[in-house]
Amino acid sequence: MSILLDSSTKVIVQGITGREGTFHAEQMQAMHTRLVGGTSPGKGGTTHLGVPVFNTVADAVEATGATASGIFVPPPFAADAIMEAASAGVTLIVCITEGIPIQEMIKVKDYLRGYPAARLIGPNCPGLITPGAAKIGIIPQRITRSGPVGLVSRSGTLTYEVASALSAAGLGQSTIVGIGGDPVLGLTFRDVVELFEQDPATTHLVVIGEIGGSDEEHAAELLARGSRLKTVAFISGRTAPEGKRMGHAGAIISGNRGTAKSKEEAFRRAGVAVAETTDELVGLLR
């Protein structure tokens, strides 16, 4: 099993005829993702990559029964694309686009309250992959393999690095979820951890966080209540100079929360092994 995505999931790509949409839709097809169509305003009625193109998400959902969407549209249009997918009944929305203004994402989050069945991953994320079954996004399938380890991360680069190390060590993954590094996101660490807890095929969990914000602390608080998963964590940015803004997190350190120290301590209190470097993760997970 897996979380969120499997080989039966019907997927569309919003922006399928663009350069990025085309390339990554092809990669998704190469992994046997059930790609049933795409959208590109003004190109409805045509075919691209062997699947139908629609003018709107509503048209695509009505014709194909799609329940998931990958968004590869430019930043000025991405917020509207998320809301269009939700209003059309898509329940898994994966927004790869980076550079969406915070004010736009605040509007999106408020809009999604009216569509509680819709789960948003991202924006500014690598998406998700269930090795050997399907993917939505840009995670290279060649570095993954099937297995019992769940992986959730803010950082795309560290997602790839750790997935590759796990695979090389013979530790396959159930699902890999890159939630993105923007201040305003869809699913949080806590949301994804809850899903992995409910997946019987996932027995181990890797959490890769960053300094800033408090999502990692919230996930640790959940794990502290009791978890069946053998979990390890790594917090990026632990050596960042005080007062420096770290990477793409764009998050705020407030009070005693949001620092690498506070996050690591929260995980340790939850009984989670914390790695000081990513190289230690595989050893701690065994």
Side-chain angles (χ1 to χ4, degrees):
M1 290 183 66
S2 58
I3 65 168
L4 296 167
L5 178 69
D6 60 30
S7 59
S8 68
T9 307
K10 293 183 178 180
V11 180
I12 60 170
V13 167
Q14 290 172 251
I16 194 171
T17 61
R19 184 183 62 181
E20 296 298 322
T22 295
F23 176 79
H24 291 292
E26 285 182 316
Q27 295 299 305
M28 290 159 59
Q29 287 179 314
M31 195 183 158
H32 308 296
T33 304
R34 194 174 179 187
L35 187 70
V36 295
T39 65
S40 186
K43 297 184 179 178
T46 64
T47 299
H48 189 62
L49 303 178
V51 297
V53 179
F54 302 90
N55 288 322
T56 69
V57 178
D59 290 344
V61 168
E62 181 179 6
T64 67
T67 58
S69 174
I71 296 177
F72 292 87
V73 305
F77 312 110
D80 285 342
I82 295 171
M83 293 186 285
E84 181 188 0
S87 67
V90 175
T91 54
L92 177 61
I93 305 166
V94 183
C95 185
I96 308 302
T97 307
E98 65 176 302
I100 303 176
I102 292 175
Q103 295 89 338
E104 290 294 303
M105 279 308 302
I106 291 173
K107 184 170 71 173
V108 167
K109 290 281 284 187
D110 183 60
Y111 184 84
L112 292 181
R113 296 180 195 281
Y115 298 91
R119 287 172 165 149
L120 170 65
I121 297 176
N124 188 19
C125 76
L128 76 165
I129 184 168
T130 296
K135 79 166 182 174
I136 303 175
I138 63 176
I139 298 173
Q141 52 263 36
R142 66 180 181 278
I143 63 171
T144 68
R145 60 184 294 178
S146 298
V149 182
L151 171 58
V152 56
S153 171
R154 269 192 192 180
S155 163
T157 301
L158 291 181
T159 299
Y160 308 153
E161 178 182 330
V162 174
S164 181
L166 290 170
S167 295
L171 298 169
Q173 306 91 49
S174 54
T175 302
I176 299 170
V177 185
I179 60 174
D182 280 4
V184 181
L185 292 172
L187 294 189
T188 65
F189 277 114
R190 183 185 176 110
D191 296 327
V192 178
V193 169
E194 284 182 327
L195 292 171
F196 277 127
E197 286 280 7
Q198 297 165 12
D199 176 31
T202 301
T203 58
H204 295 61
L205 176 63
V206 178
V207 179
I208 303 172
E210 292 180 347
I211 59 172
S214 56
D215 276 359
E216 291 87 345
E217 283 101 330
H218 293 314
E221 289 164 1
L222 175 66
L223 290 166
R225 297 178 187 174
S227 172
R228 63 177 186 81
L229 304 172
K230 183 174 182 179
T231 303
V232 300
F234 171 75
I235 304 300
S236 178
R238 66 203 312 271
T239 60
E242 187 174 350
K244 288 287 186 182
R245 188 164 164 160
M246 171 68 188
H248 54 51
I252 298 170
I253 295 174
S254 57
N256 294 323
R257 295 173 73 93
T259 66
K261 182 180 179 182
S262 69
K263 292 169 190 263
E264 290 175 349
E265 289 179 347
F267 279 118
R268 289 192 178 102
R269 285 195 299 272
V272 172
V274 178
E276 294 190 1
T277 68
T278 53
D279 291 341
E280 295 179 357
L281 285 168
V282 168
L284 292 173
L285 198 63
R286 289 188 185 279

